[in-house]
Amino acid sequence: MAPNMTTSAACAGDTGAALPPPRDLSDIFVPAMRIHKKSAFKSVMGDPTSTMINMAGGVPHPNTFPILQLQAKVVSPTSRQDKALSPSTANLVLDKSQKNRSTESLDELLQYGAGSGVDSYCDFLKRYTQIVHNPRYADWGVIASCGNTDAIGKAVSLFCEAGDSLLVEKWTFPGALSSLVAAKVQPLAVEMDGEGMDPESLDNICSRWAGPKPLRAMYLVPTGQNPTGATMSLERRQKIYAVACKHNLAIIEDDPYYFLQFAPFSASRSLENAVGAAGLLDVDSGEQQQVDPLVPSLLSLDTEGRVIRLDSFSKILAPNLRCGWITAPSYILDKLQILNESTILQPSGLAQGLISKLLNDTWGLEGWNQHLRNLRATYTFRRNVFVRMVDLHVAGLVDYVLPSAGMFLWMKINLGPDAAEAMPRLLETMKKCGVMMAPGAPFYSSGSSGSNSSSSDCYLRAAFALVDVAMFEPALKRLAQAIVAIRETADYPSAVQNTHTCNVPNAMQKGLLSPAPGKMTISS
Protein backbone atom coordinates (compact mmCIF):
# COMPACT_ATOMS: atom_id res chain seq x y z
CA MET A 1 0.00 0.00 0.00
CA ALA A 2 1.28 3.45 -0.85
CA PRO A 3 2.49 5.30 2.26
CA ASN A 4 0.05 8.19 1.96
CA MET A 5 -2.93 5.88 1.60
CA THR A 6 -2.69 4.56 5.15
CA THR A 7 -5.22 5.23 7.83
CA SER A 8 -4.47 5.50 11.52
CA ALA A 9 -2.65 2.68 13.28
CA ALA A 10 -5.77 1.98 15.30
CA CYS A 11 -7.61 1.04 12.11
CA ALA A 12 -4.79 -0.54 10.11
CA GLY A 13 -4.24 -4.23 9.69
CA ASP A 14 -6.10 -7.35 10.70
CA THR A 15 -4.98 -8.69 14.05
CA GLY A 16 -5.87 -12.21 12.96
CA ALA A 17 -8.72 -12.44 15.45
CA ALA A 18 -12.12 -13.40 14.09
CA LEU A 19 -14.18 -10.34 13.27
CA PRO A 20 -17.63 -9.96 14.84
CA PRO A 21 -20.74 -10.15 12.66
CA PRO A 22 -22.49 -6.86 11.90
CA ARG A 23 -25.37 -5.83 14.08
CA ASP A 24 -28.70 -6.51 12.38
CA LEU A 25 -30.25 -3.12 11.60
CA SER A 26 -33.26 -4.58 9.82
CA ASP A 27 -35.35 -3.59 12.83
CA ILE A 28 -34.87 0.06 11.82
CA PHE A 29 -35.64 -0.54 8.13
CA VAL A 30 -38.87 1.03 6.99
CA PRO A 31 -41.62 -1.63 6.88
CA ALA A 32 -41.59 -1.86 3.09
CA MET A 33 -37.89 -2.73 3.06
CA ARG A 34 -38.26 -5.50 5.61
CA ILE A 35 -40.44 -7.42 3.17
CA HIS A 36 -38.88 -6.14 -0.08
CA LYS A 37 -37.66 -9.17 -2.03
CA LYS A 38 -36.12 -9.75 -5.43
CA SER A 39 -38.45 -9.95 -8.42
CA ALA A 40 -40.84 -12.87 -8.67
CA PHE A 41 -39.37 -13.74 -12.07
CA LYS A 42 -35.83 -14.06 -10.70
CA SER A 43 -37.07 -15.91 -7.64
CA VAL A 44 -38.72 -18.53 -9.80
CA MET A 45 -35.82 -18.89 -12.24
CA GLY A 46 -33.00 -19.01 -9.69
CA ASP A 47 -29.44 -19.30 -11.03
CA PRO A 48 -29.12 -21.33 -14.24
CA THR A 49 -26.50 -24.08 -14.20
CA SER A 50 -23.78 -24.39 -16.82
CA THR A 51 -25.57 -27.35 -18.48
CA MET A 52 -29.02 -25.76 -18.51
CA ILE A 53 -30.50 -24.61 -21.82
CA ASN A 54 -31.68 -21.20 -20.68
CA MET A 55 -34.59 -19.83 -22.73
CA ALA A 56 -36.20 -17.84 -19.92
CA GLY A 57 -34.91 -14.30 -20.28
CA GLY A 58 -35.54 -11.62 -22.89
CA VAL A 59 -31.82 -11.35 -23.54
CA PRO A 60 -30.35 -10.42 -26.96
CA HIS A 61 -27.67 -12.62 -28.53
CA PRO A 62 -24.20 -11.04 -28.23
CA ASN A 63 -23.54 -11.72 -31.93
CA THR A 64 -25.93 -8.84 -32.59
CA PHE A 65 -23.75 -6.39 -30.65
CA PRO A 66 -21.92 -4.32 -33.30
CA ILE A 67 -19.05 -3.13 -31.07
CA LEU A 68 -16.05 -5.38 -31.73
CA GLN A 69 -13.34 -3.58 -29.78
CA LEU A 70 -12.84 -0.48 -27.69
CA GLN A 71 -9.48 1.22 -27.31
CA ALA A 72 -8.55 4.14 -25.10
CA LYS A 73 -5.27 5.96 -24.55
CA VAL A 74 -4.78 6.92 -20.91
CA VAL A 75 -2.13 8.83 -19.01
CA SER A 76 0.25 6.70 -16.99
CA PRO A 77 0.36 8.26 -13.51
CA THR A 78 3.86 9.45 -12.64
CA SER A 79 5.48 11.41 -9.85
CA ARG A 80 6.01 15.15 -10.05
CA GLN A 81 9.59 14.92 -11.30
CA ASP A 82 8.53 12.70 -14.18
CA LYS A 83 5.87 15.22 -15.20
CA ALA A 84 8.61 17.57 -16.36
CA LEU A 85 8.85 15.27 -19.38
CA SER A 86 6.12 14.56 -21.90
CA PRO A 87 3.40 12.54 -20.12
CA SER A 88 3.67 8.84 -20.76
CA THR A 89 0.58 7.01 -21.92
CA ALA A 90 -0.78 3.47 -22.05
CA ASN A 91 -3.32 1.77 -24.27
CA LEU A 92 -6.41 0.17 -22.81
CA VAL A 93 -8.19 -2.41 -24.97
CA LEU A 94 -11.48 -4.26 -24.51
CA ASP A 95 -12.27 -7.06 -27.00
CA LYS A 96 -15.65 -8.43 -28.02
CA SER A 97 -15.50 -12.06 -27.00
CA GLN A 98 -12.08 -12.47 -25.40
CA LYS A 99 -11.68 -11.92 -21.66
CA ASN A 100 -9.39 -8.93 -21.19
CA ARG A 101 -7.01 -10.26 -18.53
CA SER A 102 -8.83 -9.37 -15.28
CA THR A 103 -11.78 -7.76 -17.05
CA GLU A 104 -14.81 -9.27 -18.74
CA SER A 105 -15.22 -9.35 -22.53
CA LEU A 106 -17.26 -6.70 -24.32
CA ASP A 107 -19.99 -9.27 -24.90
CA GLU A 108 -20.31 -9.68 -21.12
CA LEU A 109 -20.01 -5.96 -20.37
CA LEU A 110 -22.69 -5.05 -22.94
CA GLN A 111 -25.14 -7.73 -21.80
CA TYR A 112 -27.74 -7.44 -19.04
CA GLY A 113 -26.17 -7.97 -15.63
CA ALA A 114 -27.00 -8.34 -11.98
CA GLY A 115 -27.75 -5.29 -9.86
CA SER A 116 -24.57 -5.87 -7.87
CA GLY A 117 -22.37 -4.71 -10.75
CA VAL A 118 -19.61 -6.16 -12.95
CA ASP A 119 -17.61 -8.76 -11.02
CA SER A 120 -14.09 -7.53 -11.84
CA TYR A 121 -15.10 -3.93 -11.03
CA CYS A 122 -16.54 -4.86 -7.64
CA ASP A 123 -13.68 -7.26 -6.86
CA PHE A 124 -11.08 -4.49 -7.24
CA LEU A 125 -13.10 -2.05 -5.17
CA LYS A 126 -13.61 -4.58 -2.39
CA ARG A 127 -9.87 -5.26 -2.28
CA TYR A 128 -9.14 -1.54 -2.24
CA THR A 129 -11.71 -0.88 0.47
CA GLN A 130 -10.03 -3.58 2.56
CA ILE A 131 -6.65 -1.87 2.11
CA VAL A 132 -7.79 1.69 2.81
CA HIS A 133 -10.64 1.25 5.32
CA ASN A 134 -10.19 -2.29 6.67
CA PRO A 135 -13.78 -2.81 7.90
CA ARG A 136 -13.84 -4.18 11.44
CA TYR A 137 -16.75 -6.60 11.15
CA ALA A 138 -17.34 -9.74 9.10
CA ASP A 139 -19.60 -10.31 6.07
CA TRP A 140 -19.34 -6.95 4.31
CA GLY A 141 -19.06 -6.20 0.62
CA VAL A 142 -19.42 -3.59 -2.12
CA ILE A 143 -22.03 -2.98 -4.79
CA ALA A 144 -21.88 -0.77 -7.88
CA SER A 145 -23.76 2.54 -7.95
CA CYS A 146 -24.41 5.24 -10.56
CA GLY A 147 -22.53 7.72 -8.38
CA ASN A 148 -23.43 9.08 -4.99
CA THR A 149 -26.54 11.05 -5.90
CA ASP A 150 -28.16 7.78 -7.00
CA ALA A 151 -26.76 5.96 -3.98
CA ILE A 152 -28.05 8.55 -1.50
CA GLY A 153 -31.66 8.05 -2.54
CA LYS A 154 -31.39 4.28 -2.31
CA ALA A 155 -29.63 4.30 1.07
CA VAL A 156 -32.13 6.75 2.54
CA SER A 157 -35.05 4.64 1.30
CA LEU A 158 -33.92 1.76 3.51
CA PHE A 159 -34.51 3.78 6.68
CA CYS A 160 -36.91 6.60 5.76
CA GLU A 161 -40.32 6.81 4.15
CA ALA A 162 -42.80 9.64 3.66
CA GLY A 163 -43.30 11.51 6.93
CA ASP A 164 -39.97 10.43 8.44
CA SER A 165 -37.10 12.75 9.39
CA LEU A 166 -33.44 12.28 8.47
CA LEU A 167 -30.63 13.88 10.47
CA VAL A 168 -28.41 16.00 8.22
CA GLU A 169 -25.79 18.72 8.57
CA LYS A 170 -27.16 22.27 8.79
CA TRP A 171 -25.54 23.00 5.42
CA THR A 172 -25.54 20.08 3.03
CA PHE A 173 -25.49 18.79 -0.54
CA PRO A 174 -28.53 20.12 -2.49
CA GLY A 175 -28.80 16.82 -4.39
CA ALA A 176 -29.43 15.03 -1.10
CA LEU A 177 -32.03 17.61 -0.10
CA SER A 178 -33.77 17.17 -3.46
CA SER A 179 -33.90 13.41 -2.90
CA LEU A 180 -35.52 13.97 0.49
CA VAL A 181 -38.10 16.32 -0.97
CA ALA A 182 -39.02 13.77 -3.63
CA ALA A 183 -39.37 11.07 -0.96
CA LYS A 184 -41.35 13.41 1.35
CA VAL A 185 -38.69 12.95 4.04
CA GLN A 186 -38.01 15.93 6.30
CA PRO A 187 -34.36 16.99 6.79
CA LEU A 188 -33.59 17.55 10.46
CA ALA A 189 -30.56 19.82 10.58
CA VAL A 190 -27.76 19.40 13.10
CA GLU A 191 -25.54 22.35 13.99
CA MET A 192 -22.03 22.50 12.54
CA ASP A 193 -18.65 24.00 13.35
CA GLY A 194 -15.28 24.06 11.59
CA GLU A 195 -15.14 20.25 11.69
CA GLY A 196 -18.64 19.60 10.38
CA MET A 197 -21.55 18.04 12.27
CA ASP A 198 -21.49 18.82 15.99
CA PRO A 199 -21.86 15.62 18.10
CA GLU A 200 -23.38 17.45 21.09
CA SER A 201 -26.07 18.97 18.90
CA LEU A 202 -26.68 15.54 17.35
CA ASP A 203 -27.01 13.90 20.76
CA ASN A 204 -29.32 16.63 22.07
CA ILE A 205 -31.66 16.36 19.07
CA CYS A 206 -31.85 12.58 19.38
CA SER A 207 -32.31 12.63 23.17
CA ARG A 208 -35.12 15.20 23.02
CA TRP A 209 -36.81 13.88 19.91
CA ALA A 210 -40.57 13.72 20.32
CA GLY A 211 -41.63 13.42 16.71
CA PRO A 212 -44.39 11.08 15.59
CA LYS A 213 -41.91 8.62 14.03
CA PRO A 214 -38.50 7.51 15.36
CA LEU A 215 -35.17 8.77 14.06
CA ARG A 216 -33.42 5.94 12.25
CA ALA A 217 -30.52 7.39 10.27
CA MET A 218 -28.21 10.32 9.62
CA TYR A 219 -26.64 11.59 6.39
CA LEU A 220 -23.34 13.45 6.40
CA VAL A 221 -20.31 14.37 4.26
CA PRO A 222 -17.36 14.00 6.66
CA THR A 223 -14.46 15.01 4.37
CA GLY A 224 -14.25 18.26 2.37
CA GLN A 225 -17.91 18.77 3.20
CA ASN A 226 -20.15 20.26 0.54
CA PRO A 227 -20.58 23.22 0.82
CA THR A 228 -18.51 24.21 3.87
CA GLY A 229 -15.28 22.35 3.08
CA ALA A 230 -15.16 21.08 6.68
CA THR A 231 -13.29 17.85 7.44
CA MET A 232 -13.90 15.86 10.61
CA SER A 233 -10.89 14.94 12.71
CA LEU A 234 -10.52 11.36 13.94
CA GLU A 235 -11.77 12.44 17.37
CA ARG A 236 -14.86 14.08 15.84
CA ARG A 237 -15.66 10.97 13.82
CA GLN A 238 -15.35 8.81 16.91
CA LYS A 239 -17.80 11.05 18.79
CA ILE A 240 -20.30 11.04 15.92
CA TYR A 241 -20.08 7.25 15.73
CA ALA A 242 -20.60 6.95 19.49
CA VAL A 243 -23.78 9.03 19.29
CA ALA A 244 -25.03 6.85 16.44
CA CYS A 245 -24.45 3.73 18.53
CA LYS A 246 -26.14 5.31 21.56
CA HIS A 247 -29.30 6.10 19.60
CA ASN A 248 -29.18 3.12 17.21
CA LEU A 249 -28.81 5.20 14.06
CA ALA A 250 -27.58 4.11 10.65
CA ILE A 251 -24.89 6.41 9.22
CA ILE A 252 -24.96 7.24 5.51
CA GLU A 253 -21.35 8.31 4.93
CA ASP A 254 -21.25 10.27 1.65
CA ASP A 255 -17.52 10.70 1.01
CA PRO A 256 -16.72 11.68 -2.62
CA TYR A 257 -13.86 13.98 -1.52
CA TYR A 258 -12.12 11.46 0.75
CA PHE A 259 -9.10 11.07 -1.54
CA LEU A 260 -8.79 14.84 -2.02
CA GLN A 261 -7.32 15.54 1.43
CA PHE A 262 -4.70 18.28 1.39
CA ALA A 263 -1.23 18.69 2.77
CA PRO A 264 -0.96 21.36 5.52
CA PHE A 265 -1.30 24.95 4.35
CA SER A 266 1.71 27.21 4.70
CA ALA A 267 1.24 30.90 3.93
CA SER A 268 5.00 31.40 3.80
CA ARG A 269 5.58 29.11 0.82
CA SER A 270 5.94 30.61 -2.63
CA LEU A 271 3.38 29.72 -5.26
CA GLU A 272 6.07 27.96 -7.27
CA ASN A 273 6.67 25.60 -4.35
CA ALA A 274 3.00 24.98 -3.63
CA VAL A 275 3.03 21.61 -5.36
CA GLY A 276 6.02 20.67 -3.23
CA ALA A 277 3.93 21.51 -0.20
CA ALA A 278 1.86 18.45 -1.02
CA GLY A 279 4.94 16.35 -0.29
CA LEU A 280 4.73 14.43 -3.56
CA LEU A 281 8.25 13.18 -4.17
CA ASP A 282 9.27 10.80 -6.91
CA VAL A 283 8.15 7.35 -5.81
CA ASP A 284 11.15 5.85 -7.56
CA SER A 285 13.70 8.18 -5.98
CA GLY A 286 13.84 6.38 -2.65
CA GLU A 287 12.87 9.57 -0.82
CA GLN A 288 10.34 9.28 1.97
CA GLN A 289 6.81 10.36 1.16
CA GLN A 290 5.69 13.43 3.09
CA VAL A 291 1.96 13.36 2.47
CA ASP A 292 -0.05 13.12 5.67
CA PRO A 293 -2.08 9.92 6.13
CA LEU A 294 -5.74 10.04 5.24
CA VAL A 295 -8.08 10.69 8.15
CA PRO A 296 -9.76 7.37 9.01
CA SER A 297 -13.24 7.03 7.58
CA LEU A 298 -16.33 6.35 9.64
CA LEU A 299 -16.40 2.94 7.96
CA SER A 300 -12.96 2.17 9.38
CA LEU A 301 -14.27 2.91 12.90
CA ASP A 302 -17.45 0.88 12.51
CA THR A 303 -17.55 -2.29 14.61
CA GLU A 304 -21.31 -2.80 14.37
CA GLY A 305 -22.02 -2.50 10.63
CA ARG A 306 -24.11 0.66 10.92
CA VAL A 307 -22.17 2.72 8.32
CA ILE A 308 -23.34 2.65 4.71
CA ARG A 309 -20.40 4.21 2.90
CA LEU A 310 -20.85 5.90 -0.49
CA ASP A 311 -17.83 6.40 -2.78
CA SER A 312 -17.77 7.87 -6.26
CA PHE A 313 -15.41 8.15 -9.24
CA SER A 314 -16.95 11.52 -10.13
CA LYS A 315 -14.27 13.58 -8.37
CA ILE A 316 -11.34 11.19 -8.81
CA LEU A 317 -11.71 9.94 -12.41
CA ALA A 318 -14.53 11.67 -14.33
CA PRO A 319 -18.11 12.65 -13.40
CA ASN A 320 -19.98 11.32 -16.42
CA LEU A 321 -18.65 7.81 -16.06
CA ARG A 322 -21.55 7.73 -13.56
CA CYS A 323 -19.93 5.03 -11.47
CA GLY A 324 -19.37 4.62 -7.77
CA TRP A 325 -19.63 1.97 -5.09
CA ILE A 326 -21.40 1.35 -1.80
CA THR A 327 -19.82 -0.52 1.12
CA ALA A 328 -22.10 -2.08 3.74
CA PRO A 329 -22.98 -5.38 5.44
CA SER A 330 -24.04 -8.04 2.91
CA TYR A 331 -27.68 -8.17 4.03
CA ILE A 332 -27.96 -4.42 3.37
CA LEU A 333 -26.30 -4.82 -0.03
CA ASP A 334 -28.94 -7.46 -0.86
CA LYS A 335 -31.62 -4.79 -0.39
CA LEU A 336 -29.64 -2.25 -2.42
CA GLN A 337 -29.20 -4.77 -5.22
CA ILE A 338 -32.98 -5.20 -5.40
CA LEU A 339 -33.34 -1.41 -5.59
CA ASN A 340 -30.76 -1.29 -8.38
CA GLU A 341 -32.54 -4.02 -10.34
CA SER A 342 -35.87 -2.20 -10.08
CA THR A 343 -34.40 1.13 -11.25
CA ILE A 344 -31.05 1.24 -13.10
CA LEU A 345 -30.29 -2.52 -13.29
CA GLN A 346 -26.64 -1.54 -12.82
CA PRO A 347 -24.33 1.27 -13.99
CA SER A 348 -23.20 1.14 -17.62
CA GLY A 349 -21.27 -2.06 -18.26
CA LEU A 350 -18.96 -0.16 -20.60
CA ALA A 351 -18.10 2.37 -17.91
CA GLN A 352 -17.55 -0.34 -15.30
CA GLY A 353 -15.44 -2.35 -17.75
CA LEU A 354 -13.33 0.67 -18.63
CA ILE A 355 -12.67 1.42 -14.97
CA SER A 356 -12.03 -2.24 -14.16
CA LYS A 357 -9.51 -2.60 -16.99
CA LEU A 358 -7.81 0.67 -15.98
CA LEU A 359 -7.48 -0.21 -12.29
CA ASN A 360 -6.90 -3.96 -12.50
CA ASP A 361 -4.54 -4.14 -15.47
CA THR A 362 -3.43 -0.86 -17.07
CA TRP A 363 -2.52 1.07 -13.92
CA GLY A 364 -2.69 -1.57 -11.24
CA LEU A 365 -2.77 -0.71 -7.55
CA GLU A 366 0.39 1.41 -7.53
CA GLY A 367 -0.69 3.37 -10.59
CA TRP A 368 -4.06 4.05 -8.96
CA ASN A 369 -2.39 5.20 -5.75
CA GLN A 370 -0.05 7.45 -7.74
CA HIS A 371 -3.02 8.95 -9.56
CA LEU A 372 -4.64 9.74 -6.21
CA ARG A 373 -1.39 11.26 -4.91
CA ASN A 374 -1.28 13.46 -7.99
CA LEU A 375 -4.87 14.58 -7.37
CA ARG A 376 -3.97 15.52 -3.81
CA ALA A 377 -1.05 17.56 -5.14
CA THR A 378 -3.22 19.30 -7.73
CA TYR A 379 -5.94 20.29 -5.28
CA THR A 380 -3.48 21.21 -2.53
CA PHE A 381 -1.86 23.60 -4.99
CA ARG A 382 -5.21 25.05 -6.03
CA ARG A 383 -6.36 25.45 -2.43
CA ASN A 384 -3.09 27.15 -1.49
CA VAL A 385 -3.16 29.63 -4.37
CA PHE A 386 -6.84 30.43 -3.91
CA VAL A 387 -6.58 31.02 -0.17
CA ARG A 388 -3.58 33.32 -0.67
CA MET A 389 -5.57 35.30 -3.22
CA VAL A 390 -8.52 35.50 -0.81
CA ASP A 391 -6.25 36.87 1.90
CA LEU A 392 -4.79 39.36 -0.55
CA HIS A 393 -7.96 40.67 -2.19
CA VAL A 394 -10.99 40.14 0.08
CA ALA A 395 -9.44 40.30 3.55
CA GLY A 396 -11.96 41.91 5.90
CA LEU A 397 -14.79 41.45 3.43
CA VAL A 398 -15.25 37.71 4.10
CA ASP A 399 -14.56 35.19 6.85
CA TYR A 400 -13.69 31.55 6.16
CA VAL A 401 -12.39 28.34 7.70
CA LEU A 402 -9.36 26.91 5.88
CA PRO A 403 -10.44 23.72 4.06
CA SER A 404 -8.24 20.65 4.44
CA ALA A 405 -9.98 18.59 1.73
CA GLY A 406 -12.36 18.88 -1.20
CA MET A 407 -13.01 21.57 -3.77
CA PHE A 408 -14.63 24.43 -1.89
CA LEU A 409 -14.00 27.54 0.19
CA TRP A 410 -17.07 28.56 2.22
CA MET A 411 -17.11 32.30 2.85
CA LYS A 412 -19.31 34.34 5.16
CA ILE A 413 -19.80 37.70 3.47
CA ASN A 414 -19.50 40.74 5.72
CA LEU A 415 -22.33 42.92 4.45
CA GLY A 416 -23.38 44.44 7.75
CA PRO A 417 -26.62 44.18 9.74
CA ASP A 418 -28.80 44.03 6.61
CA ALA A 419 -26.80 41.19 5.05
CA ALA A 420 -29.79 38.99 4.24
CA GLU A 421 -31.47 41.79 2.32
CA ALA A 422 -28.22 42.82 0.62
CA MET A 423 -27.28 39.34 -0.57
CA PRO A 424 -29.59 39.22 -3.63
CA ARG A 425 -28.18 42.59 -4.70
CA LEU A 426 -24.65 41.28 -4.23
CA LEU A 427 -25.36 38.28 -6.47
CA GLU A 428 -26.71 40.54 -9.20
CA THR A 429 -23.73 42.88 -8.88
CA MET A 430 -21.35 39.91 -9.08
CA LYS A 431 -22.94 38.91 -12.38
CA LYS A 432 -22.40 42.40 -13.73
CA CYS A 433 -18.80 42.32 -12.53
CA GLY A 434 -18.27 39.00 -14.30
CA VAL A 435 -17.93 36.52 -11.45
CA MET A 436 -20.28 33.98 -9.91
CA MET A 437 -20.13 31.76 -6.85
CA ALA A 438 -22.83 29.60 -5.31
CA PRO A 439 -25.03 31.37 -2.74
CA GLY A 440 -25.66 29.64 0.56
CA ALA A 441 -29.45 29.33 0.35
CA PRO A 442 -29.68 26.10 -1.73
CA PHE A 443 -27.44 24.32 0.79
CA TYR A 444 -29.49 25.23 3.85
CA SER A 445 -31.40 22.47 5.63
CA SER A 446 -34.71 24.07 6.49
CA GLY A 447 -35.52 21.42 9.09
CA SER A 448 -33.24 23.04 11.68
CA SER A 449 -35.14 23.72 14.87
CA GLY A 450 -34.62 27.19 16.25
CA SER A 451 -32.25 28.31 13.46
CA ASN A 452 -32.66 31.50 11.51
CA SER A 453 -33.03 30.49 7.88
CA SER A 454 -32.14 34.00 6.71
CA SER A 455 -28.55 33.32 7.78
CA SER A 456 -28.26 31.14 4.69
CA ASP A 457 -28.30 34.30 2.60
CA CYS A 458 -24.94 35.53 3.96
CA TYR A 459 -22.64 32.88 2.47
CA LEU A 460 -20.92 32.05 -0.80
CA ARG A 461 -19.33 28.77 -1.85
CA ALA A 462 -16.33 29.23 -4.13
CA ALA A 463 -15.27 26.14 -6.09
CA PHE A 464 -11.55 26.26 -6.91
CA ALA A 465 -11.50 22.97 -8.86
CA LEU A 466 -12.37 23.92 -12.45
CA VAL A 467 -11.36 27.53 -13.12
CA ASP A 468 -7.83 28.08 -14.38
CA VAL A 469 -5.53 29.09 -11.51
CA ALA A 470 -4.66 32.28 -13.40
CA MET A 471 -8.32 33.32 -13.05
CA PHE A 472 -8.34 33.14 -9.24
CA GLU A 473 -6.99 36.65 -8.82
CA PRO A 474 -9.32 38.45 -11.26
CA ALA A 475 -12.27 36.49 -9.88
CA LEU A 476 -11.53 37.61 -6.33
CA LYS A 477 -10.86 41.19 -7.41
CA ARG A 478 -14.29 41.24 -9.02
CA LEU A 479 -15.84 39.73 -5.89
CA ALA A 480 -14.19 42.43 -3.79
CA GLN A 481 -15.47 45.09 -6.18
CA ALA A 482 -19.01 43.74 -5.95
CA ILE A 483 -18.95 43.55 -2.12
CA VAL A 484 -17.53 47.06 -1.83
CA ALA A 485 -20.14 48.33 -4.29
CA ILE A 486 -22.96 47.01 -2.12
CA ARG A 487 -21.39 48.29 1.08
CA GLU A 488 -20.59 51.71 -0.34
CA THR A 489 -23.66 52.34 -2.49
CA ALA A 490 -26.61 53.73 -0.60
CA ASP A 491 -29.05 53.84 -3.51
CA TYR A 492 -28.52 50.47 -5.15
CA PRO A 493 -31.26 50.51 -7.83
CA SER A 494 -30.04 53.75 -9.41
CA ALA A 495 -26.37 52.98 -8.87
CA VAL A 496 -26.19 49.65 -10.67
CA GLN A 497 -26.98 50.03 -14.35
CA ASN A 498 -28.22 47.20 -16.53
CA THR A 499 -24.99 46.96 -18.52
CA HIS A 500 -22.60 44.19 -19.44
CA THR A 501 -19.93 45.42 -17.05
CA CYS A 502 -19.78 46.23 -13.38
CA ASN A 503 -20.92 49.86 -13.31
CA VAL A 504 -21.52 51.26 -9.85
CA PRO A 505 -20.84 55.02 -10.07
CA ASN A 506 -20.58 55.72 -6.34
CA ALA A 507 -17.98 53.02 -5.78
CA MET A 508 -16.05 53.98 -8.94
CA GLN A 509 -15.88 57.61 -7.85
CA LYS A 510 -14.27 56.44 -4.62
CA GLY A 511 -11.70 54.47 -6.62
CA LEU A 512 -12.98 51.23 -5.14
CA LEU A 513 -14.43 49.67 -8.25
CA SER A 514 -13.29 49.18 -11.83
CA PRO A 515 -15.30 47.65 -14.66
CA ALA A 516 -14.75 44.04 -15.53
CA PRO A 517 -12.79 43.78 -18.78
CA GLY A 518 -14.77 42.87 -21.87
CA LYS A 519 -18.47 42.26 -22.13
CA MET A 520 -20.12 39.84 -19.75
CA THR A 521 -23.37 38.10 -20.55
CA ILE A 522 -25.86 38.59 -17.74
CA SER A 523 -27.81 35.44 -17.02
CA SER A 524 -31.42 35.75 -16.01
Side-chain angles (χ1 to χ4, degrees):
M1 176 168 44
N4 67 313
M5 289 299 147
T6 58
T7 56
S8 71
C11 300
D14 189 348
T15 62
L19 295 173
R23 176 169 178 167
D24 186 358
L25 299 183
S26 59
D27 59 329
I28 60 172
F29 284 173
V30 297
M33 285 299 160
R34 295 175 198 166
I35 60 174
H36 199 181
K37 299 179 180 180
K38 62 183 178 180
S39 73
F41 181 85
K42 292 187 177 183
S43 297
V44 170
M45 300 315 302
D47 297 319
T49 65
S50 58
T51 59
M52 184 181 294
I53 301 173
N54 185 5
M55 302 178 68
V59 180
H61 196 285
N63 284 351
T64 66
F65 301 164
I67 302 175
L68 301 178
Q69 187 182 76
L70 284 182
Q71 297 188 44
K73 182 175 285 187
V74 297
V75 172
S76 296
T78 56
S79 63
R80 179 176 170 240
Q81 285 88 335
D82 295 334
K83 287 184 177 180
L85 308 174
S86 297
S88 59
T89 60
N91 291 320
L92 183 157
V93 180
L94 295 173
D95 285 309
K96 178 174 174 59
S97 57
Q98 180 180 354
K99 185 174 176 67
N100 303 280
R101 290 180 63 186
S102 301
T103 307
E104 291 79 357
S105 67
L106 276 176
D107 281 352
E108 295 172 278
L109 296 172
L110 291 168
Q111 189 59 272
Y112 287 120
S116 54
V118 169
D119 287 345
S120 63
Y121 173 90
C122 292
D123 287 346
F124 178 91
L125 294 172
K126 184 171 183 179
R127 292 196 306 272
Y128 199 67
T129 298
Q130 180 70 64
I131 291 170
V132 176
H133 304 291
N134 192 26
R136 299 167 65 184
Y137 59 88
D139 197 21
W140 61 274
V142 302
I143 192 172
S145 74
C146 280
N148 284 12
T149 302
D150 171 64
I152 290 165
K154 290 183 169 69
V156 169
S157 71
L158 296 176
F159 305 101
C160 297
E161 59 187 359
D164 281 336
S165 296
L166 178 73
L167 292 151
V168 301
E169 294 143 315
K170 181 177 179 180
W171 309 96
T172 194
F173 173 45
L177 294 177
S178 296
S179 295
L180 299 186
V181 170
K184 299 181 180 179
V185 173
Q186 177 69 25
L188 185 62
V190 181
E191 292 296 329
M192 301 176 68
D193 59 18
E195 288 192 34
M197 182 180 282
D198 175 36
E200 291 187 8
S201 175
L202 176 65
D203 188 31
N204 287 337
I205 290 173
C206 294
S207 297
R208 299 173 183 174
W209 179 248
K213 304 179 76 174
L215 299 175
R216 300 188 183 100
M218 71 173 81
Y219 164 82
L220 73 170
V221 184
T223 312
Q225 200 262 356
N226 184 6
T228 68
T231 296
M232 291 183 175
S233 65
L234 172 59
E235 181 181 6
R236 173 61 59 87
R237 294 171 197 242
Q238 290 169 331
K239 289 180 178 179
I240 292 291
Y241 183 75
V243 175
C245 293
K246 175 181 177 181
H247 296 285
N248 195 26
L249 300 171
I251 302 174
I252 302 171
E253 180 183 25
D254 181 10
D255 219 358
Y257 308 102
Y258 183 75
F259 294 105
L260 303 184
Q261 297 182 39
F262 307 141
F265 177 78
S266 175
S268 64
R269 294 183 186 269
S270 67
L271 297 184
E272 290 77 12
N273 291 330
V275 173
L280 300 184
L281 305 176
D282 189 340
V283 294
D284 297 322
S285 68
E287 298 181 76
Q288 184 177 0
Q289 299 290 301
Q290 299 299 316
V291 176
D292 288 350
L294 298 172
V295 179
S297 63
L298 285 162
L299 172 65
S300 71
L301 305 176
D302 184 14
T303 58
E304 297 188 349
R306 62 177 64 252
V307 174
I308 295 93
R309 179 176 171 82
L310 315 182
D311 281 283
S312 173
F313 285 110
S314 292
K315 306 301 190 293
I316 54 179
L317 272 184
N320 219 24
L321 287 170
R322 302 315 308 143
C323 281
W325 68 103
I326 306 173
T327 307
S330 296
Y331 74 94
I332 289 180
L333 296 183
D334 290 343
K335 297 294 185 182
L336 293 172
Q337 179 173 342
I338 295 170
L339 292 174
N340 270 353
E341 291 173 349
S342 63
T343 52
I344 62 168
L345 272 184
Q346 64 169 251
S348 164
L350 282 181
Q352 290 184 78
L354 180 71
I355 294 171
S356 172
K357 181 67 175 176
L358 180 68
L359 302 186
N360 278 302
D361 299 333
T362 309
W363 283 358
L365 182 61
E366 179 50 39
W368 175 234
N369 279 334
Q370 184 62 53
H371 171 73
L372 295 176
R373 288 194 289 267
N374 292 347
L375 286 180
R376 294 182 75 185
T378 295
Y379 286 106
T380 295
F381 173 74
R382 284 179 164 270
R383 186 276 311 265
N384 291 351
V385 176
F386 191 73
V387 168
R388 291 189 188 104
M389 292 296 101
V390 168
D391 291 342
L392 184 62
H393 295 293
V394 291
L397 300 178
V398 305
D399 296 317
Y400 68 88
V401 175
L402 182 72
S404 58
M407 297 179 168
F408 310 118
L409 186 72
W410 182 243
M411 297 180 289
K412 183 176 182 180
I413 312 303
N414 297 326
L415 292 175
D418 297 324
E421 296 180 3
M423 196 66 183
R425 293 183 281 146
L426 174 64
L427 295 174
E428 190 61 30
T429 305
M430 288 170 62
K431 292 180 185 179
K432 297 177 188 297
C433 289
V435 64
M436 183 47 57
M437 298 172 184
F443 303 95
Y444 186 77
S445 301
S446 59
S448 179
S449 176
S451 296
N452 180 5
S453 62
S454 66
S455 65
S456 65
D457 297 330
C458 307
Y459 291 86
L460 290 174
R461 189 199 71 176
F464 50 79
L466 178 63
V467 175
D468 192 282
V469 172
M471 293 293 101
F472 288 174
E473 185 167 35
L476 288 164
K477 284 182 176 180
R478 294 178 189 185
L479 174 62
Q481 291 168 357
I483 295 173
V484 169
I486 296 301
R487 288 168 53 142
E488 295 291 329
T489 303
D491 185 9
Y492 172 81
S494 62
V496 179
Q497 307 300 317
N498 187 20
T499 66
H500 288 270
T501 59
C502 193
N503 182 16
V504 187
N506 186 43
M508 291 179 67
Q509 289 174 6
K510 293 173 177 281
L512 298 170
L513 180 60
S514 59
K519 292 186 176 181
M520 297 291 174
T521 302
I522 303 174
S523 59
S524 58

